[in-house]
Amino acid sequence: MDHSARPRNVRPRLLLASATMLFVELALIRWTGANIVHLSYFSNFILLGSFLGIGLGFLIPAGRGQWLPRWAPVPLAVLVVLVREFPVQVRQTSGEVIYFTAVKTTGLPQWVTLPILFGLAALIMTAIGKMTADLFRQLPSLEAYRYDLLGSLCGSLSFAALSWLRAPSVVWGVLAAAALLVLGGRHHTVRYAVPLAVMVAALTLESMASGISWSPYYKIEVKRPTTGSRDYKISANGVPHQSIAPLKVLRRSDSPYEEPYRETPANPHRRVLVIGAGNGNDVAVALAHGARRVDAVEIDPRLREIGADLHPDRPYDDPRVHVHIDDGRAFLERTDARYDLVVLALPDSLTLVAGASNLRLESYLFTRQAFEAAHRHLAPGGAFAMYNYYRQNWLIDRYGSTLAGVFGHAPCITHYGGKKAAILVAGVTPGDQRCGSTWRPSGKVPAAATDDHPFPYLLHRTIPSLYLGVLGAILLVTMVSVRLTGVRIRRTLKYTDMFLLGAAFMLLETKNVIGFALYFGTTWLVNAVVFAGVMLAVLCGVEARRRMRRVNQPALQLLLFATLAVSWLVPTHLVLGLPFAARLAAAIALAFAPIFCANVIFSDRLAAAPDPTAAFGANLLGALTGGTLEYLALVTGYQALLLVVALLYAGACVAMRFTRRAPGSPGPVEQRTAEPTARP
């Protein structure tokens, strides 16, 4: 292609298209999870749908599928209107895994709901992916990849900034609409304007609704008390989550808030740590019992603000209260303080950590290592307490057994509101607790959750049948979609190595997200920093490859496997025990060194590809497959994912030896530019 004939604005348009692609993907995950009851437990399926769509957008040949960019905003508007006007729910009944919710669903079964949502998300992202791919083709492959990464980084940081500002959904919609209008150009202005206006109107109505606000994690709704009641009700993502009650209600004889104090009568309760402080109920009770200092840890700043504004006893105004907007486990690992009482106060998050298969925001609070950390922070004569409506006896037994193992004796247990709601209180010594009844197993006790297998709500080390069915359907839909879009399977086989590189990279990224969540907390900020760091590491790999005259593939592959081996051999507890600065340095080195090496290899292969967009599309479909392989962690734990990553990279290296030598392939340094109208 004659580079001088290329439109001058292709680079900024590619930057905008890539930013829009990632921004819309993140917005879809957040918005659908906030408006579809229980979808926040399945947000990874929207992510997989996005990978499918983007991959198809890149695989569709340049001369085909032009109707997709022409009608790009239509499926986006359909999804928003469908969810807003026809309430959709995902039923979450399962005997294999617990979902914390009190909502009785009335929607269609998940085998109907999830495919519809998956299909719409895939169609939306296929259209935007097609726009991006058509621009990608007009630049040398590594230069195009550079602008794609820069755009993705901009999209990710933009959405992170909106999360920090707690912007309502209409702001997301307006920004996405403006970007799509620019990408559509003048000849599509009317065709784009109508569906985008419908979408923005629907989001405006949502944002203007009474009592609605957004936090970095949830769409929050506050319902004012009815006549004769002083309790405010707080819903998160459509599910009842918390209630604000006055002290006279919180301190009734049947209240779970009082039980930790009743069962530790000799405890002075001078210094109290509340993890999951929320709207302030537990903080108010601690103050009422004479606490001289209360450290209130809450991950969601909006929930703390609601409590500060609406709680009748104003606990957050008390100078004895010190608020920490942080992840509870991260706070425990960082503080040197010791407490008379540590309370896990209903920390059930109702949502997953972004980019992780089944890790919830609070999962690392309920591992054996977390209970050991709490035990280390207890003063002599201190006690640890946790309570919730646990829903299953086996979950109560799991926690009771873990506490017994950590403290060396059985904890107190008090049931309230039925046998499946319980308060567990464990003193440093048996004499530091006074039990009405002591925990005894009700049956076979499941193994404790651990930092490597942080799934306390999963009964056995298995992939629940619900997940297996949906993941199988996703893979089937993927194969059918690839064929229906006119992509020749034989055309993509020569990019088997790129497919495997994508699958390995997705698993490696997930492992890094999980690692940073353990080391520094499951907060949205940590998550955003990790994703930005991954993109920067990838970008550094691309820039390093652009400056190399020649790549020694065997040496680079050896370095990749060496960095993976180091990540495998270094135990997480060793990193977790380091001071903050050393822990950060170790986490960065362990996480990003393999990513850098892998992406120099990937960039070298992309530069040699005769059809870079097809290679990139195969890589994205590999990422989708890697997203399904994430669920292996439910069986193996997260550290074992590194073995799967190594096997996938080994397969890619073997496949690369055949594909790079294929007839007609360019040399290792040449960067090809495909004609925009080229056929496969």
Side-chain angles (χ1 to χ4, degrees):
M1 180 177 178
D2 181 6
H3 290 189
S4 62
R6 188 188 309 120
R8 291 185 178 181
N9 64 349
V10 67
R11 291 176 180 84
R13 286 179 64 81
L14 177 56
L15 191 74
L16 178 62
S18 297
T20 304
M21 190 163 60
L22 192 63
F23 184 90
V24 171
E25 175 189 313
L26 294 173
L28 282 175
I29 293 171
R30 276 290 315 274
W31 189 80
T32 53
N35 285 277
I36 300 172
V37 174
H38 302 143
L39 186 64
S40 55
Y41 288 122
F42 302 89
S43 59
N44 201 43
F45 296 137
I46 302 298
L47 177 65
L48 297 179
S50 299
F51 279 136
L52 172 60
I54 299 170
L56 290 176
F58 272 79
L59 282 172
I60 294 171
R64 299 179 187 170
Q66 293 304 320
W67 63 273
L68 282 164
R70 283 198 295 269
W71 300 102
V74 173
L76 184 57
V78 169
L79 175 62
V80 171
V81 172
L82 174 69
V83 172
R84 289 293 303 156
E85 299 302 322
F86 303 96
V88 180
Q89 298 176 341
V90 177
R91 295 179 183 173
Q92 35 57 23
T93 302
S94 173
E96 300 163 287
V97 63
I98 294 174
Y99 303 96
F100 279 80
T101 175
V103 173
K104 294 182 179 179
T105 56
T106 57
L108 296 171
Q110 55 263 16
W111 61 267
V112 174
T113 301
L114 289 177
I116 291 174
L117 298 171
F118 179 85
L120 282 171
L123 185 58
I124 292 164
M125 300 311 297
T126 300
I128 303 176
K130 175 64 175 167
M131 292 181 189
T132 309
D134 287 343
L135 293 165
F136 198 103
R137 290 183 174 96
Q138 299 180 50
L139 293 173
S141 54
L142 290 189
E143 184 180 4
Y145 189 32
R146 169 207 262 177
Y147 280 97
D148 175 74
L149 287 169
L150 288 171
S152 297
L153 184 60
C154 290
S156 177
L157 292 177
S158 298
F159 198 81
L162 292 180
S163 296
W164 177 64
L165 295 170
R166 298 176 227 167
S169 57
V170 65
V171 176
W172 316 348
V174 167
L175 291 178
L180 288 171
L181 282 170
V182 172
L183 291 171
R186 295 178 182 177
H187 52 295
H188 289 325
T189 300
V190 176
R191 186 182 286 122
Y192 274 36
V194 174
L196 290 175
V198 171
M199 176 193 72
V200 171
L203 296 177
T204 300
L205 292 175
E206 174 188 54
S207 300
M208 292 175 62
S210 176
I212 297 294
S213 60
W214 289 81
S215 78
Y217 308 95
Y218 305 114
K219 174 185 173 182
I220 295 176
E221 181 179 7
V222 178
K223 295 182 179 179
R224 295 191 172 274
T226 57
T227 304
S229 171
R230 296 184 63 189
D231 293 9
Y232 286 87
K233 304 297 183 184
I234 303 172
S235 293
N237 291 351
V239 176
H241 189 41
Q242 297 182 12
S243 62
I244 302 175
L247 264 175
K248 67 177 184 180
V249 174
L250 299 175
R251 300 197 66 182
R252 291 186 309 198
S253 59
D254 59 345
S255 169
Y257 295 93
E258 279 288 297
E259 200 62 34
Y261 300 90
R262 281 195 291 263
E263 294 185 347
T264 55
N267 190 316
H269 304 127
R270 287 186 297 265
R271 188 157 186 165
V272 178
L273 170 62
V274 178
I275 297 177
N279 62 69
N281 285 343
D282 291 271
V283 177
V285 172
L287 294 173
H289 279 273
R292 297 177 185 175
R293 179 186 175 103
V294 179
D295 283 321
V297 181
E298 171 55 47
I299 197 170
D300 194 317
R302 180 61 186 142
L303 291 176
R304 201 280 310 174
E305 285 180 359
I306 292 171
D309 292 338
L310 301 179
H311 201 290
D313 296 291
R314 316 296 294 180
Y316 287 122
D317 292 343
D318 195 299
R320 293 174 290 171
V321 176
H322 300 263
V323 178
H324 308 270
I325 303 300
D326 200 356
D327 171 83
R329 177 67 184 279
F331 181 84
L332 277 174
E333 298 295 343
R334 188 174 61 251
T335 185
D336 295 325
R338 303 186 78 181
Y339 298 93
D340 297 306
L341 180 64
V342 175
V343 182
L344 282 190
L346 296 165
D348 46 353
S349 67
L350 310 177
T351 193
L352 303 181
V353 175
S357 60
N358 206 44
L359 187 75
R360 303 184 195 177
L361 295 182
E362 79 279 16
S363 292
Y364 280 123
L365 281 172
F366 296 107
T367 65
R368 183 180 65 245
Q369 291 84 354
F371 289 172
E372 290 170 350
H375 183 267
R376 289 195 302 271
H377 286 291
L378 290 177
F384 172 85
M386 58 188 296
Y387 65 94
N388 209 325
Y389 179 64
Y390 292 113
R391 291 165 174 79
Q392 296 289 343
N393 288 327
W394 60 259
L395 184 59
I396 298 174
D397 287 341
R398 168 171 281 162
Y399 292 153
S401 173
T402 306
L403 287 174
V406 170
F407 283 79
H409 57 271
C412 302
I413 186 168
T414 304
H415 292 280
Y416 67 98
K419 286 292 184 180
K420 294 179 181 178
I423 307 156
L424 293 164
V425 178
V428 172
T429 68
D432 296 323
Q433 62 189 49
R434 184 175 298 173
C435 305
S437 60
T438 304
W439 171 79
R440 291 185 179 85
S442 61
K444 185 178 180 181
V445 178
T450 66
D451 284 349
D452 185 51
H453 191 264
F455 306 114
Y457 311 127
L458 186 68
L459 177 56
H460 301 297
R461 281 183 173 251
T462 184
I463 303 176
S465 55
L466 168 61
Y467 296 163
L468 286 173
V470 174
L471 291 172
I474 286 174
L475 293 176
L476 178 62
V477 168
T478 299
M479 291 187 290
V480 172
S481 299
V482 170
R483 193 67 192 94
L484 289 179
T485 51
V487 177
R488 298 176 184 175
I489 302 297
R490 188 176 300 175
R491 172 183 174 234
T492 62
L493 288 178
K494 60 184 176 182
Y495 297 121
T496 300
D497 56 335
M498 299 294 274
F499 177 90
L500 294 172
L501 286 172
F505 177 78
M506 182 64 186
L507 279 179
L508 187 57
E509 182 182 53
T510 297
K511 178 64 173 63
N512 291 335
V513 170
I514 296 302
F516 273 81
L518 174 60
Y519 299 145
F520 306 105
T522 57
T523 65
W524 70 273
L525 181 60
V526 170
N527 209 38
V529 168
V530 174
F531 279 117
V534 168
M535 291 180 199
L536 287 173
V538 173
L539 186 60
C540 288
V542 175
E543 294 303 312
R545 171 59 187 85
R546 282 168 56 86
R547 286 158 176 76
M548 292 179 180
R549 291 179 58 85
R550 185 176 180 181
V551 174
N552 187 331
Q553 278 283 349
L556 199 56
Q557 292 168 8
L558 184 62
L559 185 59
L560 169 62
F561 288 108
T563 57
L564 289 174
V566 172
S567 296
W568 163 260
L569 292 172
V570 175
T572 55
H573 68 83
L574 182 64
V575 178
L576 198 58
L578 295 172
F580 181 84
R583 189 191 320 164
L584 180 61
I588 289 173
L590 292 172
F592 298 138
I595 288 177
F596 173 81
C597 295
N599 277 279
V600 176
I601 295 171
F602 171 82
S603 300
D604 185 57
R605 176 68 178 104
L606 185 66
D611 187 348
T613 52
F616 202 70
N619 182 261
L620 288 165
L621 291 184
L624 184 153
T625 304
T628 62
L629 292 175
E630 288 178 34
Y631 286 81
L632 288 174
L634 297 175
V635 178
T636 65
Y638 281 114
Q639 191 69 3
L641 288 185
L642 286 174
L643 297 178
V644 183
V645 169
L647 287 173
L648 289 169
Y649 276 131
C653 292
V654 171
M656 205 176 297
R657 297 187 61 182
F658 297 96
T659 54
R660 286 182 65 89
R661 301 299 180 186
S665 295
V669 178
E670 181 182 354
Q671 294 182 31
R672 281 289 184 93
T673 303
E675 293 284 352
T677 56
R679 293 284 179 174

Tab-separated table of all heavy atoms in Angstrom, residues 274-304:
chain	number	residue	atom	x	y	z
A	274	VAL	N	-13.651	-2.680	62.869
A	274	VAL	CA	-14.840	-3.132	62.157
A	274	VAL	C	-14.496	-3.213	60.673
A	274	VAL	O	-14.197	-2.193	60.039
A	274	VAL	CB	-16.035	-2.174	62.366
A	274	VAL	CG1	-17.235	-2.658	61.564
A	274	VAL	CG2	-16.385	-2.077	63.844
A	275	ILE	N	-14.504	-4.403	60.121
A	275	ILE	CA	-14.248	-4.609	58.688
A	275	ILE	C	-15.593	-4.815	58.003
A	275	ILE	O	-16.338	-5.734	58.339
A	275	ILE	CB	-13.325	-5.818	58.460
A	275	ILE	CG1	-11.958	-5.561	59.095
A	275	ILE	CG2	-13.179	-6.106	56.970
A	275	ILE	CD1	-11.004	-6.731	58.990
A	276	GLY	N	-15.881	-3.953	57.058
A	276	GLY	CA	-17.207	-3.925	56.444
A	276	GLY	C	-18.105	-2.978	57.218
A	276	GLY	O	-19.262	-3.289	57.524
A	277	ALA	N	-17.575	-1.786	57.527
A	277	ALA	CA	-18.302	-0.847	58.389
A	277	ALA	C	-19.570	-0.320	57.746
A	277	ALA	O	-20.510	0.075	58.445
A	277	ALA	CB	-17.385	0.320	58.767
A	278	GLY	N	-19.625	-0.266	56.424
A	278	GLY	CA	-20.844	0.115	55.719
A	278	GLY	C	-21.416	1.433	56.184
A	278	GLY	O	-20.738	2.457	56.254
A	279	ASN	N	-22.707	1.391	56.526
A	279	ASN	CA	-23.403	2.628	56.915
A	279	ASN	C	-23.165	3.020	58.370
A	279	ASN	O	-23.629	4.073	58.798
A	279	ASN	CB	-24.899	2.489	56.646
A	279	ASN	CG	-25.517	1.374	57.464
A	279	ASN	OD1	-25.629	1.466	58.673
A	279	ASN	ND2	-25.923	0.291	56.801
A	280	GLY	N	-22.478	2.183	59.144
A	280	GLY	CA	-22.090	2.585	60.489
A	280	GLY	C	-22.804	1.900	61.634
A	280	GLY	O	-22.569	2.262	62.796
A	281	ASN	N	-23.629	0.895	61.375
A	281	ASN	CA	-24.342	0.231	62.474
A	281	ASN	C	-23.383	-0.370	63.499
A	281	ASN	O	-23.519	-0.157	64.710
A	281	ASN	CB	-25.254	-0.868	61.929
A	281	ASN	CG	-26.499	-0.318	61.260
A	281	ASN	OD1	-26.866	0.836	61.458
A	281	ASN	ND2	-27.155	-1.138	60.459
A	282	ASP	N	-22.398	-1.145	63.031
A	282	ASP	CA	-21.453	-1.784	63.952
A	282	ASP	C	-20.589	-0.758	64.659
A	282	ASP	O	-20.198	-0.954	65.817
A	282	ASP	CB	-20.565	-2.766	63.182
A	282	ASP	CG	-21.340	-3.971	62.687
A	282	ASP	OD1	-21.432	-4.959	63.427
A	282	ASP	OD2	-21.868	-3.904	61.564
A	283	VAL	N	-20.290	0.330	63.967
A	283	VAL	CA	-19.497	1.395	64.586
A	283	VAL	C	-20.285	2.031	65.725
A	283	VAL	O	-19.739	2.280	66.815
A	283	VAL	CB	-19.118	2.449	63.527
A	283	VAL	CG1	-18.356	3.605	64.171
A	283	VAL	CG2	-18.289	1.820	62.413
A	284	ALA	N	-21.571	2.276	65.516
A	284	ALA	CA	-22.413	2.869	66.557
A	284	ALA	C	-22.484	1.967	67.783
A	284	ALA	O	-22.423	2.448	68.926
A	284	ALA	CB	-23.811	3.138	65.998
A	285	VAL	N	-22.585	0.660	67.581
A	285	VAL	CA	-22.657	-0.276	68.703
A	285	VAL	C	-21.338	-0.297	69.461
A	285	VAL	O	-21.313	-0.321	70.711
A	285	VAL	CB	-23.035	-1.684	68.204
A	285	VAL	CG1	-22.931	-2.711	69.331
A	285	VAL	CG2	-24.448	-1.688	67.630
A	286	ALA	N	-20.214	-0.283	68.739
A	286	ALA	CA	-18.906	-0.273	69.399
A	286	ALA	C	-18.750	0.973	70.268
A	286	ALA	O	-18.258	0.904	71.403
A	286	ALA	CB	-17.800	-0.344	68.356
A	287	LEU	N	-19.184	2.108	69.774
A	287	LEU	CA	-19.107	3.345	70.557
A	287	LEU	C	-19.999	3.266	71.790
A	287	LEU	O	-19.630	3.737	72.874
A	287	LEU	CB	-19.512	4.539	69.687
A	287	LEU	CG	-18.579	4.876	68.512
A	287	LEU	CD1	-19.193	5.965	67.648
A	287	LEU	CD2	-17.206	5.307	69.020
A	288	ALA	N	-21.163	2.649	71.618
A	288	ALA	CA	-22.089	2.516	72.745
A	288	ALA	C	-21.506	1.643	73.848
A	288	ALA	O	-21.877	1.781	75.020
A	288	ALA	CB	-23.420	1.948	72.263
A	289	HIS	N	-20.574	0.737	73.476
A	289	HIS	CA	-19.934	-0.120	74.478
A	289	HIS	C	-18.650	0.490	75.020
A	289	HIS	O	-17.862	-0.199	75.673
A	289	HIS	CB	-19.652	-1.497	73.875
A	289	HIS	CG	-20.858	-2.390	73.873
A	289	HIS	ND1	-21.206	-3.184	74.941
A	289	HIS	CD2	-21.823	-2.590	72.925
A	289	HIS	CE1	-22.317	-3.852	74.656
A	289	HIS	NE2	-22.711	-3.512	73.436
A	290	GLY	N	-18.438	1.759	74.750
A	290	GLY	CA	-17.338	2.475	75.379
A	290	GLY	C	-16.007	2.407	74.655
A	290	GLY	O	-14.966	2.693	75.265
A	291	ALA	N	-16.005	2.035	73.374
A	291	ALA	CA	-14.739	1.968	72.636
A	291	ALA	C	-14.064	3.338	72.614
A	291	ALA	O	-14.710	4.361	72.374
A	291	ALA	CB	-14.995	1.483	71.213
A	292	ARG	N	-12.761	3.340	72.877
A	292	ARG	CA	-12.002	4.590	72.837
A	292	ARG	C	-11.501	4.909	71.429
A	292	ARG	O	-11.206	6.053	71.122
A	292	ARG	CB	-10.818	4.505	73.800
A	292	ARG	CG	-11.240	4.340	75.255
A	292	ARG	CD	-10.017	4.194	76.148
A	292	ARG	NE	-10.404	3.922	77.526
A	292	ARG	CZ	-9.538	3.651	78.500
A	292	ARG	NH1	-8.229	3.643	78.227
A	292	ARG	NH2	-9.956	3.393	79.716
A	293	ARG	N	-11.371	3.876	70.616
A	293	ARG	CA	-10.985	4.058	69.212
A	293	ARG	C	-11.639	2.951	68.392
A	293	ARG	O	-11.606	1.774	68.775
A	293	ARG	CB	-9.467	4.008	69.027
A	293	ARG	CG	-9.046	4.165	67.559
A	293	ARG	CD	-7.554	3.966	67.356
A	293	ARG	NE	-7.230	4.006	65.934
A	293	ARG	CZ	-6.675	5.041	65.307
A	293	ARG	NH1	-6.377	6.142	65.985
A	293	ARG	NH2	-6.406	4.989	64.005
A	294	VAL	N	-12.244	3.357	67.299
A	294	VAL	CA	-12.829	2.402	66.360
A	294	VAL	C	-12.225	2.660	64.987
A	294	VAL	O	-12.337	3.760	64.446
A	294	VAL	CB	-14.367	2.542	66.282
A	294	VAL	CG1	-14.928	1.539	65.268
A	294	VAL	CG2	-15.004	2.342	67.646
A	295	ASP	N	-11.544	1.667	64.442
A	295	ASP	CA	-11.074	1.727	63.057
A	295	ASP	C	-12.154	1.103	62.183
A	295	ASP	O	-12.426	-0.103	62.285
A	295	ASP	CB	-9.757	0.981	62.897
A	295	ASP	CG	-8.571	1.778	63.434
A	295	ASP	OD1	-8.566	3.002	63.238
A	295	ASP	OD2	-7.679	1.178	64.052
A	296	ALA	N	-12.782	1.944	61.375
A	296	ALA	CA	-13.892	1.510	60.522
A	296	ALA	C	-13.379	1.358	59.092
A	296	ALA	O	-13.059	2.346	58.434
A	296	ALA	CB	-15.037	2.518	60.581
A	297	VAL	N	-13.288	0.114	58.620
A	297	VAL	CA	-12.772	-0.173	57.282
A	297	VAL	C	-13.946	-0.487	56.365
A	297	VAL	O	-14.731	-1.393	56.648
A	297	VAL	CB	-11.779	-1.353	57.310
A	297	VAL	CG1	-11.239	-1.628	55.901
A	297	VAL	CG2	-10.642	-1.071	58.274
A	298	GLU	N	-14.065	0.260	55.294
A	298	GLU	CA	-15.145	0.063	54.334
A	298	GLU	C	-14.576	0.253	52.925
A	298	GLU	O	-13.923	1.262	52.648
A	298	GLU	CB	-16.294	1.044	54.583
A	298	GLU	CG	-17.364	1.072	53.520
A	298	GLU	CD	-17.961	-0.299	53.237
A	298	GLU	OE1	-18.301	-1.026	54.196
A	298	GLU	OE2	-18.088	-0.637	52.045
A	299	ILE	N	-14.834	-0.688	52.047
A	299	ILE	CA	-14.265	-0.631	50.698
A	299	ILE	C	-14.996	0.355	49.802
A	299	ILE	O	-14.419	0.920	48.882
A	299	ILE	CB	-14.261	-2.052	50.071
A	299	ILE	CG1	-13.314	-2.098	48.864
A	299	ILE	CG2	-15.668	-2.477	49.669
A	299	ILE	CD1	-13.075	-3.501	48.349
A	300	ASP	N	-16.283	0.613	50.087
A	300	ASP	CA	-17.098	1.453	49.206
A	300	ASP	C	-17.294	2.835	49.827
A	300	ASP	O	-17.979	2.974	50.838
A	300	ASP	CB	-18.461	0.798	48.973
A	300	ASP	CG	-19.220	1.426	47.823
A	300	ASP	OD1	-19.235	2.661	47.727
A	300	ASP	OD2	-19.799	0.686	47.009
A	301	PRO	N	-16.723	3.884	49.228
A	301	PRO	CA	-16.848	5.222	49.836
A	301	PRO	C	-18.269	5.742	49.854
A	301	PRO	O	-18.639	6.510	50.756
A	301	PRO	CB	-15.954	6.094	48.934
A	301	PRO	CG	-15.878	5.362	47.631
A	301	PRO	CD	-15.933	3.912	47.986
A	302	ARG	N	-19.092	5.336	48.911
A	302	ARG	CA	-20.468	5.836	48.866
A	302	ARG	C	-21.290	5.288	50.026
A	302	ARG	O	-22.099	6.006	50.621
A	302	ARG	CB	-21.117	5.479	47.527
A	302	ARG	CG	-22.550	5.958	47.374
A	302	ARG	CD	-22.655	7.467	47.467
A	302	ARG	NE	-24.044	7.925	47.473
A	302	ARG	CZ	-24.491	8.932	48.191
A	302	ARG	NH1	-23.666	9.620	48.965
A	302	ARG	NH2	-25.756	9.278	48.145
A	303	LEU	N	-21.107	4.038	50.383
A	303	LEU	CA	-21.836	3.466	51.515
A	303	LEU	C	-21.470	4.183	52.812
A	303	LEU	O	-22.325	4.447	53.656
A	303	LEU	CB	-21.538	1.971	51.636
A	303	LEU	CG	-22.097	1.071	50.535
A	303	LEU	CD1	-21.631	-0.362	50.732
A	303	LEU	CD2	-23.623	1.139	50.494
A	304	ARG	N	-20.204	4.519	52.955
A	304	ARG	CA	-19.786	5.266	54.139
A	304	ARG	C	-20.423	6.655	54.147
A	304	ARG	O	-20.892	7.126	55.187
A	304	ARG	CB	-18.259	5.377	54.148
A	304	ARG	CG	-17.648	5.658	55.507
A	304	ARG	CD	-17.698	7.096	55.950
A	304	ARG	NE	-17.207	8.034	54.940
A	304	ARG	CZ	-17.258	9.343	55.068
A	304	ARG	NH1	-17.786	9.889	56.159
A	304	ARG	NH2	-16.823	10.138	54.099
